[in-house]
Structures are given as C-alpha cells and as structure tokens.
Amino acid sequence: MTKERKGDLFLLLAAMIGGLGFISMKYLLEWEFTPFQIIVGRFFTATMVLYAFYLKELKKITKDEWKAGSILGFFLFLLFALMTIGLQYTTPSVNAFLSTLTAVIVPFILWGIFHKRPNGICFITAGMTLVGVALLSVTGDIKGGFGALLSFGASVAFAFQMALIGKFLQRGDALHLALVEHLIVLILALFVAVLQRQPLPDMTLPAIGHFFLLGIFCTGVYFVLQSVGQKYTTASKAAILLTTEAVFASLAAAVFYRERLPLRGYIGCIIIFFAVVLTEIEPKQKITKNSS
C-alpha cells in the first residue's frame, strides 16, 4: 500500500469517526445534558489527552501563538456551540451536512477579508448550496428550520476559523495553535455552563461511554488522523475525503438512530455534497491546465 493510499485511509477513518460523533451528541442531548455541558466534557477529555502527549510543547508556545490560537479557539467554540444547540432542533444527518459546508463558504470569506476574489465555480456552488439548504431546512416544523439555520451558522463559524488559520500558520506552529484552541474552547464552554447553572444529569455508564467517544476519538484521534493523513495526500483530495463525514453521519443516523429523511432531504444532501466536491476539484483542474 502506497503512502498516498494510507493517507486516504486515515482521512476516511477520521471522517467515519467524526460522523459517529453526531449520534453521541444527539443521545447526550436526549439524556438532558445541555449543549455546553457536552462541549465541556468533550474538550476536557480531548485537551487532557493532547496535553498528556504534548506537555513539553506548552513551554514552546509563543505570545503570538497564544493570541492567534485564542482567536481560532473563539471561532471553534462558536462552531461547536451552534452545532450542538442546532442538533437539539434537527436530526443528526441534517446537522452534519449543514455543519460541513466550509469548503463552499471559505472562498467568499477570503474575498471579504483578504480581497481574494473567488473563481466562477464558487458562485455556482453557492447557488447549489442554497438549494440544498432549502430542501433540508424548509419543513412544516419551525424547530426543524431553526436547527438547520444554527447548523449552517456552525459551518460559517468554521469557515472563518479555516480562513484565518492559513494566515496564522505563516507565523505559528500548527500543533501549538491546536493546543491553545482546545484550551480556549474548554474555558469558554465551562464559563457559559457555569453561568447557566443547570444541574448535571446522572453520569451513567452509557453517558460516560459517549463522552469518551466524543473526547478521545471524535476530537483527539480525529485530530491525529487528519494531521497524519494530510501529509501523504493532496489538500483537495483531503477536503473531499473529510467531507464524507456528513455521509457517515447520515449512515450512522439510519443504523443507530433509525432516522429517515424525506426524499427531498436526501436530494438536498446530494446537492450539497456535490457542491463541496465541485469547489475542491475545480482549482485542482485549473492548476493542472496551467502547468501543462
């Protein structure tokens, strides 16, 4: 097996693990854990694991990396806050698809912040995304539409994080930024959870298992698999492979959660998926053409 195929396998495994995380979050919400209690439990576990492996790196983090990591951590906190709250009002597969639209949104954020005009395909994919979102979110139940809106907001927050991280990596280490990010998310989530003063539900064995899955695998292991996988494959292919996280979430929802989307919902998912694929494939084709 070549290194590239191993990298692809790591990324697919990361997407599969990430997809399962939506089911765990949905169960914890049904067991009356608040969204911010879930985020605290998830990132406390993940942060402790990462710091256990990279404790020596903490002393090497510079002042600029703390500042940059804090900004990135704020947007990552918004991502998980909007995604988890949105999951209260919609299904795991809808939440997963609308939370993974970053590849479509990033070019327009780069245009607004860094004045890098997106290519023509971005406008096409944006239109496809709006159609897909409408098919997924416009329902007879206002809660379904509200959950879809929050889930889409999570994708926007992640898009800002992704747009900024490219600039910050020019003067910072990726691992150092990740260590700061995780800590900032934990602190912000803990602050909100304390302000809410909601009683903590019973920590049953199933609940502990889902927190373990979210923290160790869906956050900690996910980060390692993504980092290693992207060393052996192209950025375009990596983005497409990680996009399948939403597909795995839908499959997991059907198997473990017995979720059934209406036909228009599946059509919306397909349209959104191909919008993301088109966004990532087109620049690669353009580069190949120019190189020839």
Side-chain angles (χ1 to χ4, degrees):
M1 183 181 293
T2 64
K3 289 184 177 181
E4 184 176 355
R5 288 187 178 180
K6 286 182 180 179
D8 293 346
L9 181 62
F10 286 150
L11 290 167
L12 278 174
L13 185 57
M16 185 183 301
I17 293 173
L20 290 173
F22 289 91
I23 308 302
S24 291
M25 288 191 294
K26 190 67 174 180
Y27 277 123
L28 290 171
L29 288 169
E30 291 182 348
W31 294 337
E32 299 184 347
F33 287 92
T34 69
F36 293 100
Q37 287 173 346
I38 294 174
I39 298 172
V40 169
R42 176 176 190 163
F43 274 86
F44 175 80
T45 306
T47 302
M48 292 302 100
V49 171
L50 284 175
Y51 278 38
F53 280 100
Y54 301 108
L55 186 61
K56 295 181 179 179
E57 294 294 325
L58 291 177
K59 297 180 180 179
K60 302 178 183 178
I61 301 177
T62 65
K63 186 176 180 180
D64 287 340
E65 288 172 338
W66 276 107
K67 290 180 179 179
S70 297
I71 295 173
L72 295 175
F74 172 74
F75 283 107
L76 198 61
F77 167 75
L78 286 182
L79 158 67
F80 280 97
L82 292 171
M83 181 176 66
T84 310
I85 296 173
L87 191 55
Q88 288 183 304
Y89 302 98
T90 189
T91 59
S93 62
V94 172
N95 183 257
F97 267 94
L98 296 180
S99 299
T100 53
L101 299 180
T102 308
V104 178
I105 303 171
V106 165
F108 294 94
I109 293 178
L110 290 173
W111 189 11
I113 297 178
F114 303 113
H115 306 293
K116 296 180 180 179
R117 180 181 173 85
N119 50 50
I121 199 69
C122 291
F123 294 98
I124 297 175
T125 54
M128 292 173 63
T129 301
L130 289 176
V131 173
V133 169
L135 289 172
L136 275 170
S137 62
V138 178
T139 64
D141 184 2
I142 187 64
K143 289 186 177 180
F146 180 63
L149 180 63
L150 290 176
S151 302
F152 183 74
S155 186
V156 175
F158 192 37
F160 271 99
Q161 193 261 4
M162 291 295 292
L164 292 172
I165 197 170
K167 181 178 181 180
F168 292 154
L169 282 174
Q170 295 176 3
R171 60 175 188 272
D173 181 80
L175 176 60
H176 293 172
L177 292 177
L179 291 173
V180 176
E181 275 185 294
H182 280 70
L183 181 61
I184 294 300
V185 175
L186 175 59
I187 292 173
L188 291 175
L190 183 60
F191 177 74
V192 177
V194 170
L195 285 180
Q196 289 182 329
R197 297 182 179 180
Q198 295 290 330
L200 186 68
D202 294 335
M203 290 296 291
T204 62
L205 190 60
I208 294 174
H210 282 293
F211 273 116
F212 181 85
L213 175 64
L214 285 173
I216 302 295
F217 291 97
C218 299
T219 307
V221 175
Y222 183 97
F223 168 76
V224 174
L225 288 172
Q226 181 184 3
S227 300
V228 174
Q230 287 191 228
K231 290 182 180 180
Y232 302 115
T233 189
T234 63
S236 296
K237 184 182 287 188
I240 294 172
L241 292 171
L242 290 176
T243 300
T244 60
E245 178 180 332
V247 178
F248 286 117
S250 294
L251 293 175
V255 174
F256 299 107
Y257 198 72
R258 296 183 179 179
E259 176 192 337
R260 295 293 182 271
L261 284 176
L263 178 60
R264 74 167 187 274
Y266 286 108
I267 294 174
C269 289
I270 293 172
I271 292 174
I272 292 170
F273 177 78
F274 278 106
V276 176
V277 171
L278 283 174
T279 302
E280 295 301 329
I281 289 178
E282 196 276 340
K284 184 178 179 181
Q285 291 177 335
K286 185 175 181 180
I287 291 172
T288 303
K289 183 177 178 181
N290 289 340
S291 299
S292 61

